Amino acid sequence: MSARIAFVGLGNMGGPMAANLVKAGFEVSGFDLAPASQEVAARNGVRVGATLAETVAGAETIMTMLPAGKQVLSVWTELASLVAAGTLLIDCSTIDVAGARKAHGLASDADCVSLDAPVSGGTVGAAAATLTFMVGGSEEVFARGAPILGRMGSRAIHCGDAGSGQAAKICNNMILGVTMAGVAEAFVLAEKLGLSHQALFDVTSTSSGQCWSITTNCPVPGPVPASPANKGYKPGFAAALMLKDLSLAQDAANSVGAVTPLGAQAMQLFRLFNSLGHGESDFSAIIKLWRGEAEGNRI
Ligand code: NAD
């Protein structure tokens, strides 16, 4: 197992992931542009570098957890001129499939090996080391990276070659966006028909409508006490991130000519919801659209 790990991007996800690597006994250096992220990481035992070059010097594995493809490609381009041959580069950010393949190409041109390994599980999973990693890259490189991923998550699924992890992630989140929109719609219909939230939950959570948007992230308060609906829709998984992932899914669908009308509709609904100022709410708060409670919205 590679003992020295550099971690670039120490935000809401990367911060706790790097902290879990420290707890697992790795020597972890870290880099982030934001002073607040640097301070939290340093408190958690990460040796915070002043520059990217200083941070990655001597690391056998370099991980990135950055906002979007633009930052990943910019950092990986810089890394390509800094790293020793044979270094393992792992990107855990959610980015477009084409961007992920470009990043693999940059690594390969620098004689390095690489994985795209986006995650599911959110900030709670990042803190508890229970993330699921969806991984793209060769079998051999997956075998090298899996023990490291195993210290930050409970599952790492090898999905196929370069870019396959990102492909799996956007397909999963397209299902999630569509199901949450459908579940929210059904709860509001039930309200108007005089059916209680609990009754609808009891039926759907054990019937053919059952899905994660009902059983774990139920968009109404009550039936699932830990769901964000019980905490004023504090995320959880922010509506802005759902819009980002649904947009990535549509870009990917357009690039290969896939027919995804429900994904397109879900993207438009989340775009509307975000444009009404709800990007920082949990994505389950989209139920407000159907109730006419989203500010400025009376549909
Ligand atoms: P975040 O904004 O909290 O953290 C990103 C960090 O990257 C910030 O601290 C920022 O300062 C840093 N950064 C940006 N550009 C940089 C650069 N060039 N060099 C060094 N540092 C840089 O975001 P997050 O919530 O941690 O999300 C990270 C990724 O994980 C995103 O791609 C997101 O889509 C994905 N994701 C997030 C969640 C979630 O629930 N937050 C869940 C699954 C996946």
Side-chain angles (χ1 to χ4, degrees), residues 87-235:
T87 305
L88 169 60
L89 305 186
I90 307 177
D91 179 46
C92 295
S93 329
T94 304
I95 72 170
D96 55 300
V97 177
R101 291 187 176 139
K102 261 189 217 157
H104 279 276
L106 288 167
S108 155
D109 290 348
D111 290 324
C112 292
V113 293
S114 53
L115 297 171
D116 53 293
V119 303
S120 171
T123 50
V124 173
T130 56
L131 294 170
T132 294
F133 290 90
M134 296 153 253
V135 190
S138 74
E139 284 279 1
E140 194 190 355
V141 181
F142 175 69
R144 182 171 156 190
I148 297 171
L149 302 180
R151 309 315 290 252
M152 296 176 287
S154 42
R155 289 188 82 198
I157 300 162
H158 186 221
C159 299
D161 288 342
S164 304
Q166 296 295 352
K169 167 80 185 175
I170 56 167
C171 288
N172 179 74
N173 280 21
M174 188 172 80
I175 295 171
L176 181 60
V178 169
T179 56
M180 183 54 84
V183 166
E185 205 168 285
F187 269 94
V188 175
L189 173 61
E191 286 166 9
K192 291 189 188 299
L193 295 173
L195 187 64
S196 74
H197 291 160
Q198 192 63 47
L200 183 63
F201 175 83
D202 289 345
V203 171
T204 54
S205 62
T206 53
S207 301
S208 47
Q210 188 267 337
C211 61
W212 190 90
S213 295
I214 292 173
T215 56
T216 303
N217 219 67
C218 192
V220 294
V224 180
S227 83
N230 298 278
K231 296 167 239 159
Y233 295 99
K234 184 171 176 286

Side-chain angles (χ1 to χ4, degrees), residues 29-97:
S29 55
F31 181 69
D32 197 291
L33 300 176
S37 301
Q38 295 169 2
E39 281 158 29
V40 175
R43 276 205 299 277
N44 287 327
V46 174
R47 183 180 61 74
V48 177
T51 62
L52 185 64
E54 183 200 319
T55 306
V56 303
E60 290 118 353
T61 303
I62 302 173
M63 310 208 47
T64 50
M65 191 52 162
L66 295 161
K70 188 175 149 213
Q71 291 87 0
V72 173
L73 288 177
S74 148
V75 167
W76 279 47
T77 301
E78 200 179 337
L79 286 176
S81 65
L82 295 171
V83 293
T87 305
L88 169 60
L89 305 186
I90 307 177
D91 179 46
C92 295
S93 329
T94 304
I95 72 170
D96 55 300
V97 177

